[in-house]
Amino acid sequence: MSKCHLCHERPPALKRPKDGSFVCKQCFLDIFEEEVHQTIVSNKLFRPGMRVAIAASGGKDSTVLAHVLTRLDARHQYGVHFSLLSIDEGIAGYRDDSLAAVRRTAGLPPLDPLGLPLEVVSHAELFAGWTMDRVVQTIGQKGNCTYCGVFRRQALDRGAARLRADLIVTGHNADDIAETVLMNLLRGDIARLTRCTAIVTHTSGSDGPGDVPVVPRCKPLKYAYEKEIVMYAFFRRLDYVATDCVYSPHAYRGHARVFLKQLETARPSAILDIIHSGEALTTARQGTRLPTQGVCSVCGHVSSSRVCAACQLVDRLNTFEIPAVMDDAMPR
Amino acid sequence: MCSRPEELMTLDTHVGVATQAQLPICGRCKVRPVQFRVQESFCAECFIFQVCLKFRVAIGSSRPFEGGTRGGRLPPRTAAPAHLRLPSLRRFAVAYSGGFGSTVLLDMLLDQSLVALRRRPTDSTGALATVSPDDCPIGLLGGDGGNDPRRAVRPPTRCLVLHIDEHASYLGTPAAAYGPFAVGLAEHVARFQSHAVFVCAPLELVLDRELPCEADLVAFSQAATLQQWYATSEDGAIPTHPASSRRSHQPRMSVRALEALAPALDGPRTGDGPSAVDASPGPLGRLGSLRAQLREAFAACGSVSARDDLREQLRWLLLRRLSRAFGCNLLFSGDTKTTLASKTLSLCALGRGFMLPVEAGADDWRETDFLVTRPLRDVSTKEACIYSQLRGIPSLPASLPLGMCPAPYIPGQGNSSLIGLSNAFIARLQQEFPSTVSTVTATALKVTTDAEHFDPAAGPMKPCLLCLAPVPEADIQPTVGTRSPIGALAEIATTERLCYGCRTLISECD
């Protein structure tokens, strides 16, 4: 293994977790970007003139995503307009640092790396002042991921509406999607299981009072391993925040994550194999009850019930009634 | 191979008899005191009845045979694929690994004393209600042309109890270590000799295009014969090729692995008849060389995961071939709810999610004239273990050589397999979230893929050469042969007839 497997010139700098090949730094950067480009092209994610909002949390995935998309756009001329969209959940000591990293990525003074417009949407402004710190203070350490996830998803739609975006791109990587497949299997969430591996998730628009258009989302990093994203960020010397959410240790997803890491140790291709398996599970058996999509009667957002989950959660928080049914720690 | 479910490591399986004054009354019979709790509180008799009831309900929901409608009172099975052609039950086989699931399955299928449990015991003395000896649990399979199913299904010949001896695929397990386990199985099945015939088939037989005739194999599987054979069997040179966990950066067909497996992949699939007795040694006479070939194939596997997966595929290939060759069109599998939950996760991890509804569901319809069914899919391994204790069935898994159990994950050691990790994970999660197993198995029953509509006679999907699973068009990729193979290998290398999971498996072979 004295030479890179791709260029056969330079000495290898790393072993790719995906296929075990030994590649040099430059070849790794090139092939990583090329694979993302192939994902974009083969799935026809972009079209000229689109406004694309990059969901940026300041973490490694979204930071790498923003940099890769900017470089690919310059190289292949996608003809799209990128902007950064960040959600402030209101977690002191965690979100502050990551938002600062997003601002540096966007190019706010004093640095100017990407020069992208940045829109920050906060939970406090959208959900009657309910930041995650306040939510955890009210309900405790269990079940808070449910609130954060529901609020953040709707906040992304609202932020994208402000940017007049046609598409939201998120930094979900192969590890995230494999974890989601496992988690949905363990929790019996058939509806999510049949769509969680889709690279583009569409949700229909809506008509009605307080109408909020729902923007499609895609995952260009769907086949990128988390380890390779870390290596890319390291080689490119990208500025990101690497800390975990302070409220995440009790999340059910943690069990799936630990299991996935063990599987990856036994067979590195297990992550892509799980995604491949999840892609095959695209339909539910006839007669299985699945939620039907409608519109929230309060805010107009897409919802599988009369009142959307976000409005229900806000209502419960306001009345200090926290039922156990939304406990994120227990499988349904 | 049969599993050692990790959840049983912490299970307090002591089932004692408590006095009525100390424990509450069983919620089912309202007569006897509670003896233990498994989701509900049971006395011993009601527990046995409850487990048998789950088995009977699962059997009854299959009804794969035409006319199996209980005299027209029940609708035919709606989930059976349209191309399925099972006119009647010829003979059935039981896949018997010696684990808790298959042991309980055997007991339920063949022990006629269980017939008496058709009614819930209500006698305060605990006496079981008596019923006609003509009643048979097997009758729930359905009849021929709508006749009384209780009398319609009485197999004309004894059912086949099939055990696959896999010790040769575990490179560190000598025959002498496996012998006591195999002999124990033979002696256990001998209890049902009026209803069942025991066959112990070495896994290496899958590599031979010719199968031994039933008479030869039955004679070979007698306890005394097995004892002598394992005691005198020479293992020969065990390959020392180090199993490498490295994967080539370019997935390729391993010609070495294919050469070892070619007879299994190219052998006759349907209508295997008994071999003609001729002067040359039959398959049983060639076991030594077959075992060497099998060990070569497993030594070529690049990881423990690949070995476990290959073992699983070859086992089921041999079970199907033997069952069909000996006149069976129905095979019972003792997969419990717990093993199916583990299987669901391991299938996904192995890239075999396309086959999830078939391999982790109620029935396996991948062949139109042969059915594999899982009547214990609603019974957990814990329940099966307690059932075994209450019924006084000897604990056979205890005699299984340790090296033959899927290795649990041990940090820092490279001996974990995807199947072993899935087993350990489910057991661990079930302790923390008691509904995990039920949820996962219910999820596997609710999702479906195009595999369920697979008809081998109609295109475009064709069966995988190794596991017989349908290969969807999207999964067909050109395979890369490293050099020009001969005979069966040419077919494998150029027809691309391997499913995603088997292609991943073969590419891990050195």
Side-chain angles (χ1 to χ4, degrees):
Chain A
M1 254 81 64
S2 58
K3 297 290 183 195
C4 167
H5 279 163
L6 294 177
C7 66
H8 305 288
E9 293 173 0
R10 291 177 285 269
L14 76 155
K15 177 183 173 184
R16 288 197 77 188
K18 185 180 282 189
D19 56 13
S21 60
F22 291 86
V23 294
C24 65
K25 172 183 167 183
Q26 191 55 49
C27 287
F28 169 72
L29 294 173
D30 292 341
I31 197 169
F32 182 88
E33 291 170 0
E34 182 59 27
E35 284 175 356
V36 175
H37 170 66
Q38 287 303 320
T39 303
I40 293 169
V41 168
S42 59
N43 292 281
K44 301 184 177 61
L45 297 182
F46 298 156
R47 61 176 189 276
M50 272 183 114
R51 292 175 178 271
V52 177
I54 304 173
S57 64
K60 61 180 185 325
D61 298 326
S62 55
T63 304
V64 165
L65 177 68
H67 275 80
V68 168
L69 288 181
T70 309
R71 295 178 73 89
L72 290 177
D73 185 42
R75 190 181 305 161
H76 297 285
Q77 305 297 318
Y78 293 140
V80 299
H81 305 283
F82 289 115
S83 51
L84 293 176
L85 174 61
S86 197
I87 307 300
D88 180 6
E89 297 99 341
I91 302 175
Y94 167 66
R95 189 47 82 200
D96 318 327
D97 296 337
S98 56
L99 275 180
V102 174
R103 289 193 168 90
R104 292 192 294 271
T105 301
L108 294 176
L111 300 173
D112 187 21
L114 294 181
L116 297 176
L118 169 66
E119 179 76 24
V120 180
V121 180
S122 69
H123 280 197
E125 133 195 24
L126 290 179
F127 302 112
W130 282 102
T131 63
M132 280 311 300
D133 284 341
R134 196 177 155 206
V135 170
V136 172
Q137 219 172 6
T138 305
I139 69 168
Q141 292 273 352
K142 273 196 163 185
N144 44 71
C145 288
T146 300
Y147 290 81
C148 186
V150 169
F151 288 167
R152 190 172 61 246
R153 286 186 191 99
Q154 200 175 108
L156 273 176
D157 288 326
R158 293 177 185 273
R162 287 188 197 175
L163 291 169
R164 295 201 305 269
D166 303 306
L167 182 72
I168 301 173
V169 292
T170 59
H172 290 98
N173 55 50
D175 294 53
D176 293 330
I177 295 173
E179 274 170 29
T180 305
V181 171
L182 292 176
M183 206 172 71
N184 289 331
L185 268 175
L186 294 171
R187 293 164 68 118
D189 196 330
I190 306 292
R192 288 202 171 100
L193 185 60
T194 55
R195 61 173 191 256
C196 64
T197 53
I199 197 166
V200 183
T201 47
H202 292 281
T203 45
S204 56
S206 57
D207 294 324
D211 190 18
V212 177
V214 181
V215 182
R217 300 171 191 185
C218 71
K219 311 175 190 77
L221 298 181
K222 177 183 175 185
Y223 300 108
Y225 275 42
E226 186 176 27
K227 286 179 180 171
E228 297 198 348
I229 290 173
V230 171
M231 293 309 301
Y232 184 92
F234 173 74
F235 285 141
R236 289 285 189 208
R237 302 182 192 281
L238 298 182
D239 183 6
Y240 66 92
V241 172
T243 53
D244 292 330
C245 175
V246 296
Y247 299 132
S248 65
H250 303 287
Y252 189 77
R253 182 178 279 265
H255 296 285
R257 183 173 298 127
V258 169
F259 179 50
L260 186 71
K261 289 304 157 191
Q262 292 173 352
L263 294 178
E264 188 187 1
T265 304
R267 181 189 274 187
S269 70
I271 294 176
L272 290 181
D273 295 340
I274 290 172
I275 295 176
H276 181 90
S277 297
E279 288 169 344
L281 305 174
T282 52
T283 49
R285 192 177 296 279
Q286 202 174 9
T288 303
R289 233 173 17 160
L290 291 176
T292 53
Q293 246 179 30
V295 173
C296 175
S297 58
V298 175
C299 66
H301 199 264
V302 66
S303 169
S304 58
S305 53
R306 191 179 57 83
V307 177
C308 73
C311 291
Q312 287 183 39
L313 294 177
V314 170
D315 186 51
R316 285 181 188 140
L317 286 168
N318 286 334
T319 55
F320 297 96
E321 290 173 4
I322 314 300
V325 73
M326 296 294 285
D327 190 341
D328 191 51
M330 294 297 295
R332 297 193 184 85
Chain B
M1 200 53 235
C2 65
S3 60
R4 292 173 183 265
E6 278 74 8
E7 61 174 355
L8 295 181
M9 289 178 178
T10 56
L11 174 68
D12 179 8
T13 55
H14 170 69
V15 179
V17 178
T19 64
Q20 193 161 354
Q22 293 174 345
L23 291 177
I25 301 301
C26 170
R28 296 277 175 153
C29 63
K30 311 274 193 273
V31 174
R32 283 172 293 277
V34 168
Q35 288 181 271
F36 49 86
R37 288 179 177 79
V38 179
Q39 295 181 332
E40 293 181 46
S41 302
F42 291 101
C43 63
E45 289 80 3
C46 286
F47 177 79
I48 293 175
F49 178 84
Q50 187 65 22
V51 175
C52 287
L53 184 64
K54 288 184 183 179
F55 164 77
R56 297 164 83 87
V57 167
I59 288 273
S61 69
S62 288
R63 296 196 300 280
F65 302 104
E66 293 175 1
T69 59
R70 289 198 176 184
R73 283 177 294 158
L74 291 172
R77 178 185 163 87
T78 54
H83 62 272
L84 189 67
R85 293 179 286 276
L86 284 178
S88 64
L89 175 65
R90 292 203 309 263
R91 187 185 186 192
F92 69 88
V94 181
Y96 181 46
S97 67
F100 290 110
S102 55
T103 304
V104 166
L105 177 65
L106 206 64
D107 192 63
M108 287 185 178
L109 281 173
L110 302 179
D111 192 329
Q112 291 301 299
S113 69
L114 285 177
V115 171
L117 287 178
R118 288 183 71 88
R119 295 196 199 111
R120 190 193 308 279
T122 54
D123 186 346
S124 59
T125 65
L128 297 173
T130 55
V131 294
S132 164
D134 285 337
D135 285 347
C136 174
I138 306 170
L140 288 174
L141 287 172
D144 45 354
N147 291 335
D148 186 348
R150 288 179 300 173
R151 286 199 297 269
V153 182
R154 183 73 59 114
T157 55
R158 291 180 294 168
C159 80
L160 201 61
V161 178
L162 284 172
H163 174 72
I164 306 299
D165 169 13
E166 299 170 355
H167 87 272
S169 66
Y170 291 89
L171 300 180
T173 305
Y178 192 78
F181 180 72
V183 171
L185 297 181
E187 289 170 349
H188 177 68
V189 178
R191 295 171 50 202
F192 309 109
Q193 59 184 349
S194 60
H195 303 292
V197 57
F198 178 67
V199 166
C200 176
L203 182 63
E204 46 268 36
L205 283 177
V206 76
L207 300 182
D208 202 317
R209 286 180 175 79
E210 184 185 343
L211 286 175
C213 67
E214 184 178 348
D216 287 348
L217 211 46
V218 170
F220 171 80
S221 306
Q222 297 300 310
T225 313
L226 285 177
Q227 194 161 28
Q228 187 185 10
W229 189 79
Y230 281 106
T232 58
S233 177
E234 290 183 5
D235 291 301
I238 299 176
T240 56
H241 178 84
S244 168
S245 60
R246 170 190 58 82
R247 275 191 65 199
S248 166
H249 65 284
Q250 288 182 349
R252 59 182 170 83
M253 283 294 193
S254 161
V255 177
R256 182 175 165 212
L258 290 176
E259 281 171 348
L261 292 176
L265 302 181
D266 198 40
R269 297 207 175 280
T270 57
D272 283 337
S275 62
V277 177
D278 55 22
S280 62
L284 290 176
R286 295 194 286 269
L287 276 180
S289 61
L290 292 174
R291 193 182 316 153
Q293 283 182 47
L294 186 77
R295 287 195 164 134
E296 279 294 320
F298 275 85
C301 290
S303 67
V304 182
S305 299
R307 281 199 283 274
D308 280 353
D309 192 19
L310 180 62
R311 187 178 301 116
E312 183 85 13
Q313 302 311 319
L314 292 182
R315 179 199 312 145
W316 279 102
L317 200 57
L318 184 59
L319 280 170
R320 287 171 185 275
R321 285 183 66 191
L322 285 172
S323 303
R324 297 170 72 103
F326 299 159
C328 303
N329 61 352
L330 176 64
L331 175 65
F332 285 102
S333 168
D335 286 323
T336 62
K337 193 161 60 168
T338 312
T339 55
L340 287 176
S342 303
K343 205 172 185 179
T344 299
L345 295 188
S346 62
L347 284 172
C348 287
L350 290 166
R352 297 181 185 277
F354 186 70
M355 288 298 285
L356 187 66
V358 176
E359 294 206 26
D363 301 313
D364 188 333
W365 301 98
R366 75 185 78 184
E367 295 179 276
T368 56
D369 55 352
F370 187 83
L371 172 70
V372 178
T373 188
R374 304 178 183 96
L376 293 184
R377 58 184 176 270
D378 296 322
V379 178
S380 69
T381 304
K382 184 186 287 188
E383 289 172 329
C385 176
I386 296 174
Y387 177 96
S388 298
Q389 286 203 336
L390 294 176
R391 293 277 296 157
I393 300 171
S395 178
L396 292 162
S399 58
L400 186 69
L402 268 180
M404 291 183 63
C405 301
Y409 175 66
I410 302 173
Q413 296 190 20
N415 61 344
S416 52
S417 75
L418 298 184
I419 294 174
L421 286 170
S422 303
N423 292 345
F425 177 69
I426 283 290
R428 197 167 55 245
L429 206 63
Q430 175 71 11
Q431 289 182 357
E432 200 171 335
F433 304 105
S435 62
T436 297
V437 165
S438 303
T439 303
V440 173
T441 48
T443 305
L445 289 173
K446 286 180 186 171
V447 293
T448 181
T449 67
D450 288 341
E452 288 200 300
H453 309 292
F454 172 54
D455 184 352
M461 292 193 286
K462 296 298 177 189
C464 171
L465 280 178
L466 183 56
C467 67
L468 305 180
V471 185
E473 282 184 284
D475 274 359
I476 294 177
Q477 291 180 13
T479 56
V480 180
T482 55
R483 60 173 182 262
S484 174
I486 300 172
L489 300 179
E491 185 187 4
I492 295 164
T494 58
T495 59
E496 305 139 4
R497 275 178 54 193
L498 285 181
C499 66
Y500 180 92
C502 290
R503 200 167 52 243
T504 306
L505 165 63
I506 295 292
S507 68
E508 278 218 353
C509 297
D510 193 5

